[in-house]
Amino acid sequence: MGHTATAHAGSGGLTATEHRLANGLRVVLSEDHLTPVAAVCLWYDVGSRHEVKGRTGLAHLFEHLMFQGSKNVSGNGHFELVQGAGGSLNGTTSFERTNYFETMPTHQLELALWLEADRMGSLLAALDDESMENQRDVVKNERRQRYDNVPYGTAFEKLTALAYPEGHPYHHTPIGSMADLDAASLEDARAFFRTYYAPNNAVLSVVGDIDPEKTLAWVEKYFGTIPGHDGKQPPRDGSLPEIMGEQLREEVVEEVPARALMAAYRLPHDGTRECDAADVALTVLGSGESSRLHNRLVRRDQSAVAAGFGMLRLAGAPSLGWLDVKTSSGVEVPAIEAAVDEELARFAAEGPTAEEMERAQAQLEREWLDRLSTVAGRADELCRFAVLFGDPQLALTAVQRVLDITAEEVQAVAAARLRPDNRAVLVYEPLEAGADDDTDLTEETDASDENEGAEQ
């Protein structure tokens, strides 16, 4: 079973080696003996963008089914074995991938690898109508708790549907619709698993206090016999024009505590220099209390109780810049929108100051280094760059790419993209007058992690 030559790249001395099993499974190892723990992360190249009309939500349903037992592990055994060994675990689904991860004490690493291999190789042996029904109900309940029954809960879904046209692979979100969940059959689920949960459609990373040779031998032992599968179709094309060309709007009258203005701007694809420049722009404009929008709307005008800009990075479709403003009591949305547009126009005309660039880049650098400094965070990023961009080493040089961005590039992407004719807008109006109050009741939406966890 040959594996490829290893490659090294560094970020603060971090390195990673790459290997490939005969069945196509890509393996990335990163040794780090700071703490006696090891992180296992498995990314399958399947997300909601791979689903077809009428069968949305299958990728996310599968994330739950993967915790329902396999040939050698029954029921809730995966959770029980990992937690009983002192480890933690979960899984999440996004537009572009499904991931599963464990962080284990070093001496329990082999258990985590065996568990992941068991469900990759033998899930279908345990998948029956009962487990399907059970998890269908769990997902529907999650949908109610996280989307349908919380203030502003369906904002992400509504904005995504506006920002990506009908028929586009990103038009629907990973949670899926109730009707489609009901329509999914056991045979649909089996076909989905056979197609996407194959070793040649996955990347496994192991990071931390590991012996690389021993780890690779375990991976070979447990994953090496699982056959590959050739039936996967490439995801549908997600490309769109750079600019929407018009402002798409929807007003929502619901039981919400305050009026809100939310908007999604079409931004460059992840993996491009322009996307990093957009990240810096949104950080200056809307990340934290030193940002321009917070200073203008919350501090100066006192017209909002919260104002932020986030970014949903996407590789297979344009990324989204995510504006979220909750208004102060009595303030109307048009006043907020005018102030936002004024700030964005000023930024497009003048660009960021040297001080703003320094602060934004330092903030993004800190976020990157925080992610890479934990074994779980680094394992996830190595998988991400391997699956989406073909090269895990890019994870270790991402910080430098952000620091290389110039003020001119930041101004250029803001001028080109942060315009009224390049956004989908959602306006929330409370059901009855007097329903808004002066508190910020929602957490800042972090649109970058539209992930569903498989917590019990």
Side-chain angles (χ1 to χ4, degrees):
M1 301 259 169
H3 44 260
T4 58
T6 61
H8 290 262
S11 170
L14 303 178
T15 59
T17 63
E18 300 168 54
H19 317 267
R20 192 184 281 268
L21 303 193
N23 60 8
L25 179 70
R26 286 181 287 168
V27 183
V28 186
L29 305 178
S30 181
E31 215 177 332
D32 177 351
H33 301 290
L34 273 178
T35 50
V37 293
V40 173
C41 185
L42 193 53
W43 270 46
Y44 289 94
D45 186 5
V46 58
S48 56
R49 67 168 169 168
H50 296 86
E51 296 163 351
V52 296
K53 193 174 175 63
R55 289 293 179 274
T56 67
L58 266 179
H60 176 223
L61 179 63
F62 239 94
E63 174 220 311
H64 285 263
L65 289 169
M66 286 282 276
F67 288 94
Q68 276 298 285
S70 44
K71 187 176 180 181
N72 297 300
V73 180
S74 61
N76 215 21
H78 197 103
F79 271 103
E80 290 159 6
L81 286 166
V82 170
Q83 290 169 341
S88 60
L89 71 162
N90 213 334
T92 69
T93 309
S94 78
F95 290 100
E96 301 186 321
R97 59 97 184 102
T98 311
N99 67 353
Y100 301 90
F101 43 94
E102 293 86 14
T103 300
M104 307 292 277
T106 300
H107 66 282
Q108 296 286 2
L109 170 60
E110 187 181 4
L111 171 65
L113 292 170
W114 175 77
L115 281 166
E116 286 298 358
D118 191 57
R119 57 184 175 181
M120 180 192 282
S122 73
L123 186 93
L124 290 185
L127 183 60
D128 56 21
D129 283 316
E130 187 187 350
S131 58
M132 184 90 172
E133 214 42 58
N134 176 351
Q135 287 313 297
R136 208 193 311 254
D137 288 344
V138 168
V139 173
K140 284 182 179 178
N141 203 34
E142 179 183 339
R143 191 189 155 89
R144 287 182 204 104
Q145 285 178 344
R146 296 183 53 170
Y147 288 72
D148 300 338
N149 299 340
V150 290
Y152 317 107
T154 54
F156 185 77
E157 197 170 44
K158 289 183 195 306
L159 270 180
T160 302
L162 275 178
Y164 300 107
E166 182 77 49
H168 188 273
Y170 294 66
H171 178 72
H172 70 278
T173 53
I175 192 79
S177 77
M178 292 284 199
D180 286 4
L181 285 168
D182 279 333
S185 69
L186 187 60
E187 199 32 64
D188 288 332
R190 286 186 171 136
F192 192 87
F193 181 83
R194 281 193 288 267
T195 303
Y196 295 110
Y197 279 76
N200 52 318
N201 195 45
V203 173
L204 171 71
S205 67
V206 188
V207 175
D209 184 24
I210 62 171
D211 172 335
E213 277 184 33
K214 188 191 279 185
T215 303
L216 204 55
W218 284 333
V219 170
E220 190 72 71
K221 176 180 175 183
Y222 298 125
F223 289 89
T225 56
I226 302 171
H229 182 82
D230 294 332
K232 182 187 167 186
Q233 298 298 310
R236 288 173 295 136
D237 179 26
S239 59
L240 289 167
E242 288 197 355
I243 297 292
M244 292 182 195
E246 59 177 325
Q247 184 167 187
L248 305 163
R249 299 179 76 88
E250 190 180 322
E251 184 174 291
V252 185
V253 180
E254 272 182 13
E255 274 192 56
V256 289
R259 290 191 179 103
L261 169 70
M262 299 189 196
Y265 291 80
R266 188 175 290 173
L267 296 178
H269 285 62
D270 192 11
T272 60
R273 198 173 165 102
E274 293 78 14
C275 186
D276 286 335
D279 206 354
V280 177
L282 297 192
T283 303
V284 172
L285 285 163
S287 182
E289 297 195 352
S290 59
S291 69
R292 289 197 180 193
L293 291 178
H294 184 90
N295 273 324
R296 169 71 190 268
L297 297 167
V298 181
R299 190 169 292 154
R300 194 191 100 183
D301 296 357
Q302 297 184 351
S303 56
V305 291
F309 238 137
M311 186 166 182
L312 177 62
R313 285 177 172 261
L314 294 169
S319 301
L320 290 183
W322 200 263
L323 175 73
D324 186 354
V325 184
K326 305 295 189 312
T327 68
S328 299
S329 186
V331 176
E332 301 278 342
V333 168
I336 292 278
E337 200 167 352
V340 167
D341 285 342
E342 198 179 294
E343 290 302 323
L344 295 184
R346 180 181 299 135
F347 190 75
E350 300 168 8
T353 65
E355 187 197 359
E356 284 176 324
M357 279 298 291
E358 197 178 329
R359 194 165 54 219
Q361 284 172 308
Q363 186 179 331
L364 290 169
E365 178 181 31
R366 193 170 59 245
E367 287 168 12
W368 262 110
L369 294 177
D370 283 349
R371 268 204 294 282
L372 293 176
S373 69
T374 70
V375 290
R378 195 183 329 154
D380 193 55
E381 292 298 341
L382 288 167
C383 279
R384 177 164 88 93
F385 282 96
V387 168
L388 298 179
F389 307 108
D391 182 5
Q393 306 294 342
L394 289 168
L396 306 180
T397 52
V399 175
Q400 197 50 52
R401 287 195 295 281
V402 171
L403 297 179
D404 286 344
I405 298 297
T406 65
E408 290 72 25
E409 289 173 292
V410 172
Q411 182 179 353
V413 77
R417 302 300 194 105
L418 299 179
R419 310 173 358 189
D421 65 346
N422 187 36
R423 69 180 172 211
V425 176
L426 210 53
V427 175
Y428 274 91
E429 286 287 340
L431 262 180
E432 68 274 3
D436 40 332
D437 66 35
D438 221 13
T439 52
D440 175 26
L441 334 98
T442 60
E443 296 170 36
E444 191 78 24
T445 335
D446 179 8
S448 67
D449 193 26
E450 194 353 62
N451 296 338
E452 322 305 339
E455 295 96 345
Q456 309 163 85

